[in-house]
Amino acid sequence: MKSPAPDIAGIDTMNTSPYSRENVRRGVTHYLLGRGMSAAAGFVTVILLVRHMEMPAYAGYTAILGFCGLAGMLAGLGLERALVRFIPEGVMHHPGPLLARFIWIACAARLAVMVLLIGALWLSWPVLAGRVAGLALAPDFPLALAFVLLSSATFQLFSAVMQALVQQKILTRVLVVQWGGRLLLILALLAGHAGITLEQALWLMALPDGIGALILAWAIHRYMASQGSGTIAAPGNATPWPPWAQVRKLARDNYGYNLLAALPQNTSMIILAAVFLTAPFVAVYGFYIHLLERFKQYLPLQFMLNLAEPVLIAGFVRDGDFGRLSHHSRLLYKCNLLLLMPGLAWIAAIAQPLTHVLTAGKYTEHAWILPLLILQLALGGHATIMQIMINAVGKSGILTISGCLALAAMALAIGVALASGQYAWLVAAPLAYELVNNLVAVGLLGKHGWHYDLQWGFHGKLLLATLGAWLGAMFASAQVASPLGQVLLAGVVALALFGLGATLLRLADPREFQTVRDMLKRKQGPAGAFAGGTDSPAGGKP
C-alpha cells in the first residue's frame, strides 16, 4: 500500500504548491462560488438582451459574437492547452523567472495574432455587412468590435493561467465583478431607454472583459513576483525549461485539432446560419446557443473543468497511472450526463412553451433546435475528456486524425443539407462531427496501448431512462394550457421519472459521487490523495 500523498497530485517538492490539499480545497470553494454567481448573472443578461433588442439587432449581435469566437479560436494557437499542461510542471520544478517568461511569451503571441485578425476583419467588413444576416445595421466596422476581440481573447487566456495556478480567489472576484457589472450596465441602459442597440450590446461585452483582463494581468504579475528565482529540478535534469519543442508540438497538435473542430463549434455554426438563413432564424438560434452557454457552466464537467484539468494532469505527470486518469475523467463525464439527460427529456417535451416564457412570446418558432443543441453538448463533453487524456499521455497527434475524419463526416452532412435545400438542418451537422470524433479518438488511443472503456451498457440504460422521462413530460405538458404551467409540470414529471429510472437501472453508485467529491475536496483514499478508492482501476499503460 502506498503511503498517503502530501497533496492532490502527489507533489512534495514544494511546501507551498498551489496543488496542495489545502490550497485546492480553498480553490474549489472559490471556483464554485464564482462560477455559480457569474453563470446566474450571465443567464439574466441573455434573457434581458433577447427581450430588449430588436430581432434584426439581436441577429447581428449573434453573428458578430460568432465572428468573435472564431477569431478567438484562430488567435489561440493551441496555447491554452499548452499553458494548462506545462504550468503545473513549471510551478513544481521551475518557479520564478522561467515560468513567468513562459506565460508572458504565450500571452504576447496570442495578442499579436489577434491584432492581425482584427485588421483582416476590418478589411473584409464591407463584404460581410452585405452578406451576413443582421450586419446591415453596422455598415462600418464597429470600433466596439475591436475592443470586444482584444478584451475577450486576453481575459480568456489570463483566466486559463489563473486556473492552472489554482489561484481561484482573485479569479472568482473578477468573474463576479465582470458579469455583475455587465448586468448593472444593462439595467442602467434599460432605465433610460426603451431598448438596447447593437453598438451598445457590443460595448456591454467589451468593457467588463477589458477591466477583468487588466486585473488578472496585475494578479499574474504579483504571483510571479512572489515566487522564488531558483529552479527545483529533478536530480541530474539539466534540460532547459520550458521544453519548447514539446510546447510547440502540443500547441500545434491542439491548434490543428481546434481548427478542424472550428466548423462544428457554435460560433462557426452561427456564421453559417447567418449566411444561408434569415434573421429570425439566426436570432432564435443564437439565443439558444447563448442560453446553453450559461446553462452548461452548471454542469459538473464544464463547471469544474478548468480546476480539475491541471490537477488531473499533475497526478498523471507524477505516477503515469492512465487507469486512474481515465477513471476520474469518466466520473466527471458521468456526473455531467446524469444532470444533462433529464434536462434533455424535459426540454424536448416543452421547448416551444419554454422559449415563449423566456422571451416573453418574442420567439416561438424553430424550438426543435434546442434539444439538438443539448445532445451536441452531451457528445462534446465526452470529446473534452478525451482531449484531456490524449494530451496527458503525450499522443496529441490523435486529435488531428480524429478531427480530420470527423470534419469529413460533418462536411458530408452539410452537403446533404445544402443539396436538399433544407438549410435549417445545417444546425444538426455538428452531431455527425461529435459522434465520429469520439469514436475515432477512443479507437486510436486504444491502438497506442491506452485502453479506454466507453461503457456501452451504462449509455444504453441512460437512454432508456431518458426516453421514459421524455414520454412522461410530453403527457404531463398536454394536460396544461398555459406555457408556464406546461414548463413547470413537465419539469417535475421528467425529473421524477428519470430519478426513478436511474434508481431501478442502477445508473449511479454513491461511491462514484464520493470519489468525485474527494478528488476535488482533497480527501485521501487508501491509495493516496488522488486515488479513486476501491472503484479506481489500477495500473497505467498496459
Side-chain angles (χ1 to χ4, degrees):
M1 179 180 296
K2 297 179 182 178
S3 60
D7 55 51
I8 188 64
I11 301 162
D12 56 7
T13 56
M14 296 177 64
N15 294 330
T16 59
S17 167
Y19 311 105
S20 64
R21 290 193 307 273
E22 291 302 320
N23 187 65
V24 187
R25 182 184 294 117
R26 291 192 299 267
V28 169
T29 302
H30 290 299
Y31 185 82
L32 298 182
L33 177 63
R35 279 282 181 173
M37 295 180 67
S38 63
F43 179 83
V44 176
T45 296
V46 170
I47 300 301
L48 290 176
L49 287 177
V50 76
R51 287 188 174 205
H52 294 282
M53 291 182 72
E54 296 294 331
M55 184 179 292
Y58 192 78
Y61 169 76
T62 294
I64 286 177
L65 289 191
F67 282 109
C68 290
L70 183 60
M73 184 276 302
L74 292 173
L77 303 176
L79 291 173
E80 284 190 30
R81 292 293 179 186
L83 287 169
V84 171
R85 168 61 182 84
F86 287 99
I87 282 179
E89 183 177 303
V91 170
M92 287 187 281
H93 302 301
H94 306 278
L98 289 177
L99 178 59
R101 185 180 65 173
F102 171 57
I103 291 173
W104 295 123
I105 287 176
C107 295
R110 180 166 187 173
L111 286 179
V113 175
M114 180 56 77
V115 170
L116 294 177
L117 290 174
I118 291 174
L121 193 58
W122 172 67
L123 291 174
S124 60
W125 192 257
V127 176
L128 295 174
R131 186 68 183 87
V132 178
L135 294 191
L137 296 175
D140 298 322
F141 183 76
L143 178 63
L145 177 54
F147 281 91
V148 170
L149 290 168
L150 281 174
S151 60
S152 62
T154 307
F155 182 83
Q156 183 180 7
L157 191 65
F158 288 166
S159 296
V161 172
M162 295 295 286
Q163 288 158 351
L165 293 169
V166 198
Q167 298 298 306
Q168 298 298 332
K169 186 174 183 179
I170 182 65
L171 184 57
T172 294
R173 293 176 177 176
V174 172
L175 286 172
V176 172
V177 170
Q178 178 197 38
W179 280 101
R182 183 172 286 134
L183 182 57
L184 290 176
L185 288 174
I186 292 175
L187 295 176
L189 285 174
L190 294 178
H193 300 85
I196 298 174
T197 66
L198 175 59
E199 185 177 5
Q200 289 172 335
L202 293 178
W203 283 113
L204 287 171
M205 296 298 108
L207 291 178
D209 281 356
I211 295 173
L214 291 174
I215 297 174
L216 291 182
W218 173 82
I220 293 170
H221 170 72
R222 288 289 301 271
Y223 179 86
M224 291 294 106
S226 68
Q227 301 303 299
S229 59
T231 298
I232 306 175
N237 180 13
T239 304
W241 196 91
W244 286 111
Q246 296 180 35
V247 172
R248 284 192 294 268
K249 183 180 184 303
L250 179 65
R252 182 180 65 249
D253 289 338
N254 280 272
Y255 189 49
Y257 176 78
N258 290 338
L259 290 177
L260 294 171
L263 186 57
Q265 295 302 313
N266 290 333
T267 52
S268 299
M269 292 305 300
I270 286 176
I271 297 173
L272 190 64
V275 171
F276 287 99
L277 294 162
T278 62
F281 187 97
V282 175
V284 70
Y285 184 42
F287 167 64
Y288 285 147
I289 286 177
H290 298 154
L291 192 66
L292 287 183
E293 287 293 326
R294 304 279 74 80
F295 166 75
K296 76 178 185 180
Q297 294 185 38
Y298 289 102
L299 297 174
L301 181 59
Q302 283 78 11
F303 199 67
M304 299 179 288
L305 174 63
N306 292 322
L307 178 65
E309 183 177 4
V311 177
L312 288 169
I313 290 176
F316 182 78
V317 167
R318 176 184 68 90
D319 55 26
D321 190 342
F322 181 76
R324 185 179 297 170
L325 172 67
S326 62
H327 179 66
H328 286 114
S329 300
R330 192 164 47 236
L331 285 182
L332 285 174
Y333 178 63
K334 187 173 183 178
C335 292
N336 228 45
L337 288 180
L338 290 175
L339 289 178
L340 192 59
M341 297 310 285
L344 175 60
W346 172 53
I347 289 177
I350 48 83
Q352 186 169 349
L354 177 64
T355 305
H356 183 278
V357 170
L358 294 177
T359 65
K362 196 171 184 178
Y363 300 101
T364 55
E365 297 180 349
H366 313 300
W368 55 271
I369 300 173
L370 190 53
L372 287 181
L373 289 174
I374 295 178
L375 187 57
Q376 179 185 341
L377 179 60
L379 292 174
H382 191 270
T384 298
I385 67 167
M386 291 304 302
Q387 188 175 11
I388 293 173
M389 291 186 291
I390 288 169
N391 284 331
V393 302
K395 298 295 181 181
S396 52
I398 292 175
L399 300 174
T400 302
I401 300 174
S402 64
C404 284
L405 295 176
L407 190 61
M410 182 176 177
L412 179 62
I414 290 176
V416 171
L418 294 178
S420 65
Q422 301 297 319
Y423 294 162
W425 283 101
L426 288 170
V427 300
L431 291 176
Y433 178 94
E434 298 292 359
L435 184 61
V436 173
N437 184 36
N438 276 290
L439 293 177
V440 172
V442 171
L444 292 177
L445 195 61
K447 286 186 176 181
H448 283 84
W450 307 94
H451 300 290
Y452 174 80
D453 183 10
L454 277 172
Q455 296 185 325
W456 291 108
F458 164 76
H459 286 91
K461 293 178 181 179
L462 182 68
L463 288 177
L464 185 61
T466 303
L467 178 62
W470 172 68
L471 292 174
M474 287 284 290
F475 177 80
S477 64
Q479 312 307 310
V480 183
S482 71
L484 181 59
Q486 290 176 334
V487 170
L488 295 177
L489 181 59
V492 172
V493 172
L495 184 61
L497 289 180
F498 185 86
L500 178 62
T503 301
L504 295 177
L505 296 172
R506 298 182 180 180
L507 290 179
D509 186 334
R511 291 176 297 176
E512 294 177 331
F513 297 111
Q514 185 63 35
T515 298
V516 175
R517 181 178 180 274
D518 290 350
M519 181 178 68
L520 293 171
K521 290 294 186 181
R522 282 44 187 183
K523 290 184 180 179
Q524 296 183 1
F530 210 51
T534 57
D535 296 328
S536 179
K541 182 177 178 180

